Amino acid sequence: MMTLEKFEEASELVKKVTNPTKLVFSEYLSTQTGAKVYLKPENMQHTGAYKIRGAYYKISTLTEEERNRGLITASAGNHAQGVAFAAREFGCKATIVMPTVTPLIKVNRTKSYGAEVVLHGDVYDDAYQYACKLAEENGYTFVHPFNDLDVATGQGSIAMEIVQELPTVDYILVPIGGGGLITGVSTLAKMLNPKIKVIGVEPAGAASMTAALKAGEAVELDSANTIADGTAVKEVGDQNLPYVQENVDDILLVEDDELIGAFLDMVENHKMIVENSGLLSVAALKQLDCKGKKVVCVLSGGNMDVITMSSIVQHGLIQRDRIFSVSVLLPDKPGELARVAETIANVQGNIIKLEHNQFVSTNRNAAVELRITMEAFGTDHKKKILEALDENGFRPKTISAKLY
C-alpha cells in the first residue's frame, strides 16, 4: 500500500541525495497558454533525472542482508545512474545491465558512481531478462525501474515539493514510461488535495499506459518507437495501473515532431537541456485548455548525448522554417551567382551553404542548378525570401534541407 506516512518518510529521506529543484516560472509558456506555467526541473538532479528519488528510497527500505547481497537492475540510462548513485551512498555493490546500444556517456556515468556495468542485448527488454537471470543465479536484490510501489513512493516526493511550494496548483503534467513517476505523483497529489488535476503524457509511439487503461490490465505493445527513449516502454507496471486508474484525470499523447519543437523552445527560452522524454509535459500544453490556471510541468530528465542534441536542433530549425533549402536554375555565366546572393541579402536572408551543379543539363548556357541552404527568422520570412527570388526570375523550388 502507498500511504501518506510513507510519502512523508520518502520526502524527507530523498533530501539527502537530491538537489532542491525549485519551480521555475515560464513567462514564455505562460504567454503561449494563457496560464501560469511552472517547470519542475528534475533535469537538474545529480544524476540528471528524477530516478534518484525512487532508487534511494527503495534501497532505504531493504534490509541490511538484502543490500549486502548486492543490487542489480536493468536500464538504458536514468534508472541506471539513480541506482548506481544510491547504492554508493548506502555502501553496497550494484550491477547494472544495459543494452549494447547504450550511448558511451551513459555507460561511463553509471560506472563513475561505482557500479559494475554489463552490456547485453539490443533493447531494454533483453537487458531486463538478463538482469533477472543474473539476480537468480547470484542472489542479487533486484531494484525494478518502475513496477515497484516503494520506487513509486520515492518518485512521489516530487508532488510533495510541488504542493509545498505552490499550494494552489491546479494541474500537474507528468511524463509516463513504465508508470512509476505518474503513480507516485498522482497518488500523493490527490492525498494532499483531491482538486489537483494530474495529467499523464505519453509518446504516441509508445502509449503503453493508454493501452493498459483501455484493456483494464497491463498489455504489451508490439513496439515502442519514439525519440522519447526514456519512456519507450512496451508494457507498464501492473502494480502501478490500479493507482493510475484511480488518481490520473487524463492522459495525453504527443507526437515526436512536437518534442523537437519543445526542445528548441526549452534551449532558447529557458537555457535548459531537457531530454525528449522530459519534454512530454511541455509539448502537451498545446492540447490542454488551462487558461487562468496554475500548471506545473515535470521535466523528468536531461540526459541527452551531444549527437542526439545536435540532430534535434537541426530538425527543429528546419521544422520551424528557420533553415530551408531551395533549388534554382540559372544560366552558367558570370554574375548570376552574385545576383542570387544580392536578392537574398536584400530581404535579410542569410546563406549558409551553396551547391553548384553544372551537370543538371547538357546545355550549360541554358541552365545550371544552384542549391541554396539559408537561414530565416521563420515561416513569414521564408515566404518573403521565396517571393523575392521569384520576382527576380529565379523560380525557386523548395527542396529538403540538410546541414551536412
Side-chain angles (χ1 to χ4, degrees):
M1 290 289 293
M2 300 177 78
T3 65
L4 182 58
E5 290 73 23
K6 287 184 178 180
F7 278 119
E8 290 175 333
E9 178 186 55
S11 296
E12 286 303 311
L13 274 173
V14 301
K15 288 178 182 178
K16 297 178 181 179
V17 292
T18 55
N19 290 326
T21 53
K22 297 292 185 181
L23 295 178
V24 177
F25 177 71
S26 172
E27 185 174 347
Y28 174 78
L29 293 172
S30 297
T31 301
Q32 296 286 314
T33 60
K36 289 185 177 179
V37 179
Y38 299 82
L39 307 174
K40 179 64 171 169
E42 289 296 293
N43 56 311
M44 303 304 290
Q45 290 298 350
H46 293 299
T47 58
Y50 74 95
K51 287 285 192 177
I52 180 62
R53 296 172 180 270
Y56 188 81
Y57 181 64
K58 172 62 180 180
I59 296 171
S60 78
T61 66
L62 298 176
T63 64
E64 189 172 340
E65 187 270 334
E66 287 173 320
R67 289 197 288 262
N68 287 340
R69 293 207 310 257
L71 311 177
I72 190 167
T73 194
S75 169
N78 292 344
H79 181 65
Q81 293 178 65
V83 170
F85 186 93
R88 187 184 69 179
E89 294 299 300
F90 280 98
C92 52
K93 176 188 174 184
T95 301
I96 316 292
V97 184
M98 308 179 84
T100 56
V101 295
T102 303
L104 183 60
I105 188 171
K106 291 185 178 181
V107 173
N108 288 341
R109 281 180 178 170
T110 303
K111 287 181 178 179
S112 74
Y113 298 126
E116 177 188 352
V117 173
V118 177
L119 299 177
H120 181 86
D122 295 328
V123 295
Y124 165 76
D125 299 84
D126 297 335
Y128 172 74
Q129 290 170 10
Y130 189 62
C132 291
K133 179 174 178 288
L134 291 178
E136 186 176 349
E137 289 176 354
N138 298 284
Y140 296 146
T141 301
F142 195 90
V143 181
H144 201 284
F146 52 83
N147 197 26
D148 183 298
L149 295 185
D150 287 330
V151 170
T153 298
Q155 321 298 27
S157 59
I158 289 174
M160 183 73 79
E161 294 172 8
I162 290 172
V163 174
Q164 286 176 343
E165 193 174 353
L166 188 66
T168 54
V169 59
D170 296 299
Y171 287 90
I172 302 176
L173 273 65
V174 186
I176 298 179
L181 177 60
I182 189 73
T183 294
V185 170
S186 64
T187 302
L188 179 55
K190 295 295 185 179
M191 286 180 179
L192 298 175
N193 181 359
K195 293 182 179 179
I196 296 173
K197 291 189 180 298
V198 181
I199 310 297
V201 191
E202 289 189 291
S208 50
M209 186 63 77
T210 299
L213 291 173
K214 185 177 180 180
E217 61 181 358
V219 293
E220 185 175 352
L221 301 179
D222 292 332
S223 65
N225 186 17
T226 173
I227 62 171
D229 57 294
T231 48
V233 176
K234 289 184 179 180
E235 184 176 349
V236 298
D238 57 357
Q239 294 189 46
N240 299 323
L241 185 58
Y243 291 90
V244 174
Q245 290 171 319
E246 182 178 351
N247 299 308
V248 176
D249 295 278
D250 197 7
I251 294 180
L252 303 176
L253 303 183
V254 169
E255 299 289 343
D256 282 359
D257 281 352
E258 297 173 75
L259 295 174
I260 293 172
F263 181 84
L264 217 57
D265 284 340
M266 199 56 56
V267 170
E268 293 192 317
N269 296 292
H270 299 90
K271 317 306 176 194
M272 282 199 289
I273 300 297
V274 183
E275 63 188 88
N276 293 320
S277 297
L279 289 167
L280 285 164
S281 56
V282 173
L285 284 171
K286 294 179 181 178
Q287 302 180 41
L288 193 66
D289 182 8
C290 53
K291 290 180 181 177
K293 302 296 185 181
K294 294 176 182 174
V295 182
V296 173
C297 296
V298 177
L299 308 180
S300 54
N303 288 317
M304 180 182 280
D305 64 276
V306 176
I307 293 175
T308 301
M309 203 182 304
S310 62
S311 176
I312 293 292
V313 169
Q314 175 181 323
H315 281 83
L317 292 172
I318 293 170
Q319 186 185 85
R320 295 191 168 185
D321 288 331
R322 288 168 56 182
I323 288 177
F324 69 100
S325 296
V326 297
S327 168
V328 298
L329 298 178
L330 62 161
D332 188 19
K333 63 181 182 180
E336 288 298 304
L337 180 57
R339 199 160 69 86
V340 172
E342 183 180 15
T343 300
I344 294 170
N346 286 340
V347 284
Q348 286 77 52
N350 183 38
I351 297 173
I352 56 179
K353 188 172 71 168
L354 286 173
E355 295 176 81
H356 196 218
N357 182 6
Q358 293 183 322
F359 304 106
V360 70
S361 169
T362 55
N363 184 353
R364 288 170 49 194
N365 291 324
V368 295
E369 182 188 35
L370 185 65
R371 294 189 170 211
I372 312 160
T373 300
M374 64 193 100
E375 188 177 15
F377 302 132
T379 302
D380 291 341
H381 189 209
K382 173 186 174 180
K383 289 179 181 177
K384 288 181 181 179
I385 295 171
L386 292 174
E387 287 169 0
L389 287 167
D390 196 50
E391 288 168 4
N392 283 272
F394 294 113
R395 304 295 183 264
K397 178 184 176 182
T398 303
I399 59 175
S400 178
K402 294 180 181 178
L403 291 179
Y404 51 85

